[in-house]
Amino acid sequence: PGLWPALLGIVLAAWLRGSGAQQSATVANPVPGANPDLLPHFLVEPEDVYIVKNKPVLLVCKAVPATQIFFKCNGEWVRQVDHVIERSTDGSSGLPTMEVRINVSRQQVEKVFGLEEYWCQCVAWSSSGTTKSQKAYIRIAYLRKNFEQEPLAKEVSLEQGIVLPCRPPEGIPPAEVEWLRNEDLVDPSLDPNVYITREHSLVVRQARLADTANYTCVAKNIVARRRSTSAAVIVYVDGSWSPWSKWSACGLDCTHWRSRECSDPAPHNGGEECQGADLDTRNCTTDLCVHTASGPEDVALYVGLIAVAVCLVLLLLVLILVYCRKKEGLDSDVADSSILTSGFQPVSIKPSKADNPHLLTIQPDLSTTTTTYQGSLCPRQDGPSPKFQLTNGHLLSPLGGGRHTLHHSSPTSEAEEFVSRLSTQNYFRSLPRGTSNMTYGTFNFLGGRLMIPNTGISLLIPPDAIPRGKIYEIYLTLHKPEDVRLPLAGCQTLLSPIVSCGPPGVLLTRPVILAMDHCGEPSPDSWSLRLKKQSCEGSWEDVLHLGEEAPSHLYYCQLEASACYVFTEQLGRFALVGEALSVAAAKRLKLLLFAPVACTSLEYNIRVYCLHDTHDALKEVVQLEKQLGGQLIQEPRVLHFKDSYHNLRLSIHDVPSSLWQSKLLVSYQEIPFYHIWNGTQQYLHCTFTLERVSPSTSDLACKLWVWQVEGDGQSFNINFNITKDTRFAELLALESEGGVPALVGPSAFKIPFLIRQKIISSLDPPCNRSADWRTLAQKLHLDSHLSFFASKPSPTAMILNLWEARHFPNGNLSQLAAAVAGLGQPDAGLFTVSEAEC
């Protein structure tokens, strides 16, 4: 008996020396010369389990014969005091039996930072050797709130197929999906007309009237149960005529009639009514009718009918004449406009052909008339009146640095004095010409587009946004956060770049669309998002609270996963600011690893940038690293940084000590929470300095971890040759976005002008089958903005403008054409134009 503890210690030491590789199945390690029948075998092994919320999980091991059992989790032994042990004797064999239990908490699993899965296994000892159990993986269960795709409302005809897509929220374990029809569970086993695909879509093979209902996709796992937005499905039936009845007897007026009803079938659920008349009348051909038709009364009737026909023909001729005169007046207005004189870049429009006199032509007119501009350009208090006159002269005069003006022709001395005084204000002095973060152009009623390349920032000026007869020089500028003082209060954070478009105060008759990236994870439960605009006095104001927009508001915003599109009728300086409503609010950070292209010393620096996940922030860092002679050494990663007041930590591991030495004196570096959350500091980064043991060392293999304390984390496995490995260099090659930064006229738009006008004229009028602009908005997933579109003179134009802003320059016109064609419009040539029209 006294030798047993010593023998057990020898066995344990021998096992520890040989247990380098972890196994996922039961493995026995017998002691040489021992009886293999007395090796432990497991009656109960630990199994995979999920942690729900903050409740710890229990792992159990039971083996016979066993004198000791211990758990090992992620390569480390669990402390003995954390084991609950029960010993007994097997009733049939008399061998010792042992059962051990441990608890695993959520905090233990989270310490791994999500870089690898957390696992545990138990090891049992007996006098004959050891046996390892299978690995049990412990995962934190969750189910996100937002569906990746929700079902949309549909209107379908009888016996047409229905497909309602549903992509459940991300979760562990993956969510199970079920469907509800008017809150009743849809069971495909009871209804052969429906089935659910592997992708969780609900399919109705042939629509029936009974399938008209509200459908809801439900996702659930062991953590929670989520419901999608309900989709209203309407199955309609178009009406059809019954057969005609028999002709009636001939009446005293020498006519007879027959009738039919719209009842075969009758229209249901908004289906179309029958087309045509329900009553048909004809003259009789009996002898009595022939005799009475020759009387004087009938002669007078025929004379009256002929007189009415002559009057109608004359009226039609008058209407045609009026229309032609109006058309000639419209063409002369265009031709006499000063929009295409020498000071404005002409739009490329084909000349009129001799055989096509109806083609619109625009000829230059060098005689401009005196016009008056009224509006506020934020003048100083002691400046002249905001009303000034512009007279004949050269169309546009060259502008000096910092000057932003609008005019028909060269201003008089009074106007020149006003513009000169205006250009001295700080608001315009901060906009130097010729920088990579600014673009400008001259525009008229044809509209156009401004872009700052590789930043995701653009300004769409739709047709007729600028009044006809006026020419504006418009600029677009990206500001560095340190150059503009944007006060943030409480939990507010800057989510977008700070962008100016101007000059402010110009008259616009249609909203322009300002596009810019943002780095927030949009969620109505986590964020309160506001659009801020700087006033002429320099103070910042909340001009829009997203989610609470009024249709008649001067500003409106379409928020997407990584970009926002701001409708505005007033130019100025804008920024998107978020205020966290809970600790679940998160910003997307892009993590970039840079190192020198050429290393001439023993020291080698790895720079880890933590910046907003926006194109403009990426562009600034890439340009900076080009100046520093750096190269990207790993594929960029995205980290979700939460409003939890916890800092961001960075550490480097597994550096081969025989080749490299780390000069980091602490276990990790740290970036304070507020430096990141504020969002106004550029180029946030940490540097890890390594030193080569020998100048010939060129291969580097190590791990670099970046994580928020108690939050999300990312791991980089670095393995490359520092002298010749450039495989990641092409990932950040900056490409031009659609060519030149300023596009004027039709070349700035994907949709040809004449096709655009056809779509607007076809979809703006309301349709009884809803085959109008509302259905187009639904097909383009813009139906949440119907009230805003309806408040504008042309809702279809607003939808097409937003499509242009979202899809330039790579928009797929075929998809838009399919969406319009699917509306059931009778005009089959909606997307076709003649050669003369092109």
Side-chain angles (χ1 to χ4, degrees):
L3 296 176
W4 170 246
L7 178 60
L8 180 59
I10 294 173
V11 172
L12 176 59
W15 183 87
L16 287 174
R17 287 194 300 268
S19 60
Q22 299 297 328
Q23 305 295 328
S24 60
T26 302
V27 175
N29 295 316
V31 173
N35 185 359
D37 295 335
L38 296 181
L39 280 172
H41 68 274
F42 287 96
L43 303 177
V44 178
E45 294 187 74
E47 297 180 350
D48 294 348
V49 67
Y50 295 98
I51 294 179
V52 178
K53 296 182 179 179
N54 292 319
K55 185 178 179 181
V57 295
L58 180 67
L59 299 181
V60 181
C61 271
K62 186 175 182 180
V64 61
T67 55
Q68 292 290 341
I69 297 179
F70 284 99
F71 273 91
K72 192 176 189 179
C73 295
N74 276 62
E76 296 183 2
W77 292 103
V78 178
R79 298 183 307 171
Q80 185 174 2
V81 295
D82 294 332
H83 292 72
V84 178
I85 302 173
E86 290 186 8
R87 300 178 184 273
S88 60
T89 301
D90 185 69
S92 59
S93 64
L95 296 174
T97 302
M98 193 173 185
E99 181 177 322
V100 177
R101 297 185 296 272
I102 64 168
N103 285 320
V104 179
S105 66
R106 183 188 184 102
Q107 289 74 16
Q108 291 174 266
V109 178
E110 287 179 337
K111 285 182 181 179
V112 186
F113 315 128
L115 303 178
E116 58 179 315
E117 290 193 293
Y118 192 91
W119 56 265
C120 293
Q121 68 178 164
C122 48
V123 183
W125 283 267
S126 72
S127 59
S128 296
T130 62
T131 304
K132 299 178 189 177
S133 73
Q134 65 182 6
K135 285 183 179 179
Y137 288 90
I138 299 94
R139 302 176 176 90
I140 298 176
Y142 67 91
L143 184 62
R144 301 199 184 279
K145 292 185 178 180
N146 297 327
F147 280 73
E148 295 184 4
Q149 184 179 14
E150 294 187 289
L152 298 176
K154 291 180 179 291
E155 291 185 10
V156 298
S157 61
L158 191 68
E159 296 184 353
Q160 180 182 341
I162 304 174
V163 178
L164 296 177
C166 176
R167 292 169 58 192
E170 178 187 350
I172 294 179
E176 298 177 357
V177 173
E178 61 185 20
W179 284 86
L180 301 179
R181 180 196 287 127
N182 288 341
E183 301 304 318
D184 293 330
L185 182 65
V186 176
D187 188 352
S189 64
L190 301 178
D191 186 354
N193 194 42
V194 300
Y195 67 93
I196 300 175
T197 67
R198 292 183 179 179
E199 293 77 24
H200 311 298
S201 298
L202 179 65
V203 178
V204 179
R205 292 183 172 89
Q206 291 184 319
R208 304 157 296 190
L209 288 176
D211 292 321
T212 299
N214 290 321
Y215 290 84
T216 309
C217 181
V218 179
K220 60 182 180 179
N221 65 4
I222 59 177
V223 178
R225 186 173 186 266
R226 312 287 189 207
R227 292 168 56 100
S228 72
T229 303
S230 295
V233 174
I234 298 176
V235 181
Y236 62 85
V237 178
D238 292 333
S240 182
W241 291 112
S242 65
W244 286 103
S245 64
K246 293 182 178 180
W247 288 102
S248 66
C250 192
L252 296 177
D253 57 350
C254 296
T255 61
H256 61 170
W257 55 270
R258 62 177 181 174
S259 64
R260 58 181 178 175
E261 295 181 351
C262 188
S263 59
D264 190 22
H268 286 282
N269 294 339
E272 286 188 349
E273 296 287 340
C274 299
Q275 302 297 317
D278 58 354
L279 187 66
D280 185 18
T281 305
R282 292 184 181 177
N283 291 328
C284 299
T285 57
T286 61
D287 293 340
L288 178 62
C289 290
V290 172
H291 174 72
T292 57
S294 60
E297 296 86 356
D298 292 293
V299 174
L301 176 62
Y302 294 146
V303 172
L305 290 176
I306 293 173
V308 171
V310 171
C311 292
L312 290 176
V313 171
L314 291 176
L315 179 60
L316 180 60
L317 292 175
V318 171
L319 291 175
I320 293 175
L321 181 61
V322 171
Y323 172 76
C324 292
R325 290 188 176 235
K326 284 188 176 182
K327 187 175 185 303
E328 290 177 0
L330 176 61
D331 289 343
S332 72
D333 287 343
V334 176
D336 292 339
S337 173
S338 61
I339 59 171
L340 294 179
T341 53
S342 59
F344 177 71
Q345 263 189 319
V347 180
S348 176
I349 299 180
K350 289 186 178 180
S352 175
K353 295 184 179 179
D355 58 348
N356 188 8
H358 300 294
L359 180 61
L360 175 65
T361 60
I362 302 178
Q363 300 295 335
D365 179 16
L366 300 180
S367 60
T368 56
T369 58
T370 301
T371 56
T372 302
Y373 169 77
Q374 284 186 298
S376 172
L377 281 169
C378 302
R380 299 185 300 185
Q381 296 298 325
D382 58 345
S385 168
K387 177 178 179 180
F388 59 92
Q389 294 236 334
L390 304 176
T391 58
N392 294 336
H394 297 292
L395 184 64
L396 290 177
S397 57
L399 300 176
R403 197 185 267 188
H404 304 272
T405 62
L406 57 154
H407 47 269
H408 287 144
S409 56
S410 293
T412 61
S413 58
E414 179 185 0
E416 287 177 341
E417 180 184 359
F418 172 78
V419 173
S420 176
R421 298 181 63 184
L422 185 64
S423 65
T424 63
Q425 300 182 56
N426 291 332
Y427 193 93
F428 297 94
R429 205 159 46 218
S430 63
L431 303 174
R433 297 284 182 101
T435 65
S436 63
N437 288 335
M438 180 186 179
T439 183
Y440 56 92
T442 307
F443 302 90
N444 63 354
F445 74 93
L446 293 175
R449 185 188 306 265
L450 289 173
M451 296 176 294
I452 302 178
N454 304 307
T455 63
I457 299 171
S458 65
L459 181 70
L460 179 76
I461 306 166
D464 289 326
I466 297 175
R468 289 180 178 249
K470 292 188 180 296
I471 297 175
Y472 295 165
E473 185 184 28
I474 296 178
Y475 63 82
L476 182 65
T477 302
L478 167 64
H479 299 277
K480 293 183 178 180
E482 60 265 26
D483 295 339
V484 179
R485 186 178 179 274
L486 174 62
L488 299 174
C491 298
Q492 288 185 340
T493 177
L494 180 63
L495 297 177
S496 75
I498 301 175
V499 180
S500 289
C501 54
V506 298
L507 175 65
L508 297 174
T509 56
R510 300 283 190 276
V512 297
I513 302 179
L514 175 64
M516 53 187 177
D517 288 352
H518 70 83
C519 63
E521 283 292 314
S523 170
D525 299 331
S526 303
W527 286 106
S528 174
L529 301 176
R530 298 176 186 272
L531 181 69
K532 286 183 174 288
K533 180 176 183 287
Q534 191 174 28
S535 66
C536 296
E537 293 76 18
S539 61
W540 288 86
E541 304 170 349
D542 293 338
V543 295
L544 181 64
H545 188 183
L546 273 67
E548 299 180 7
E549 303 95 333
S552 59
H553 207 279
L554 290 174
Y555 309 91
Y556 204 85
C557 183
Q558 157 78 4
L559 186 70
E560 297 186 356
S562 59
C564 60
Y565 301 88
V566 179
F567 291 81
T568 176
E569 296 182 26
Q570 294 184 356
L571 304 183
R573 185 173 294 170
F574 297 93
L576 183 66
V577 171
E579 182 174 2
L581 302 179
S582 69
V583 294
K587 297 173 64 172
R588 296 189 315 277
L589 299 183
K590 178 150 285 187
L591 307 177
L592 301 172
L593 272 62
F594 282 90
V597 174
C599 183
T600 58
S601 65
L602 294 178
E603 286 190 354
Y604 188 75
N605 295 322
I606 299 177
R607 292 179 292 275
V608 185
Y609 289 87
C610 307
L611 52 127
H612 283 178
D613 186 20
T614 58
H615 286 87
D616 63 286
L618 178 63
K619 174 184 177 181
E620 293 292 331
V621 169
V622 172
Q623 291 179 343
L624 174 64
E625 280 296 325
K626 283 185 177 180
Q627 298 173 3
L628 297 177
Q631 65 169 337
L632 189 71
I633 62 172
Q634 280 287 298
E635 186 173 348
R637 303 280 182 87
V638 173
L639 181 144
H640 293 84
F641 190 79
K642 291 187 176 181
D643 180 23
S644 61
Y645 298 98
H646 289 295
N647 298 337
L648 189 72
R649 291 181 178 178
L650 304 92
S651 61
I652 193 166
H653 304 272
D654 300 337
V655 178
S657 57
S658 60
L659 301 175
W660 296 86
Q661 290 182 357
S662 173
K663 289 194 171 184
L664 187 65
L665 301 178
V666 293
S667 58
Y668 58 82
Q669 300 188 62
E670 199 165 52
I671 301 178
F673 168 83
Y674 285 104
H675 288 186
I676 298 176
W677 193 255
N678 183 266
T680 58
Q681 298 195 28
Q682 285 189 309
Y683 313 133
L684 282 175
H685 72 281
C686 288
T687 301
F688 292 92
T689 301
L690 304 176
E691 186 175 11
R692 293 184 285 179
V693 175
S694 168
S696 62
T697 300
S698 59
D699 291 325
L700 175 60
C702 62
K703 291 182 179 179
L704 200 148
W705 292 353
V706 183
W707 76 98
Q708 185 183 19
V709 179
E710 298 187 10
D712 192 17
Q714 289 289 357
S715 173
F716 295 88
N717 293 318
I718 301 173
N719 188 354
F720 77 114
N721 187 293
I722 67 173
T723 60
K724 57 185 178 182
D725 199 338
T726 60
R727 63 181 183 273
F728 299 102
E730 299 298 324
L731 292 178
L732 295 183
L734 298 180
E735 298 180 358
S736 178
E737 298 174 343
V740 296
L743 296 172
V744 179
S747 63
F749 304 96
K750 290 288 293 184
I751 308 173
F753 182 78
L754 293 176
I755 292 180
R756 170 189 170 94
Q757 296 303 106
K758 284 186 178 183
I759 297 175
I760 292 174
S761 61
S762 298
L763 300 186
D764 267 353
C767 179
N768 58 354
R769 277 279 313 281
S770 298
D772 54 15
W773 62 269
R774 297 174 180 83
T775 311
L776 177 62
Q778 178 182 336
K779 286 180 174 289
L780 299 179
H781 308 294
L782 301 174
D783 44 343
S784 59
H785 307 310
L786 293 181
S787 58
F788 169 72
F789 296 146
S791 68
K792 301 303 176 184
S794 174
T796 310
M798 292 296 102
I799 296 173
L800 297 181
N801 294 342
L802 182 55
W803 187 91
E804 289 277 6
R806 296 169 68 194
H807 295 91
F808 191 88
N810 301 317
N812 190 334
L813 273 179
S814 299
Q815 293 180 355
L816 179 63
V820 175
L823 303 182
Q825 286 290 333
D827 186 4
L830 200 59
F831 272 78
T832 59
V833 294
S834 66
E835 180 183 357
E837 291 176 315
C838 289

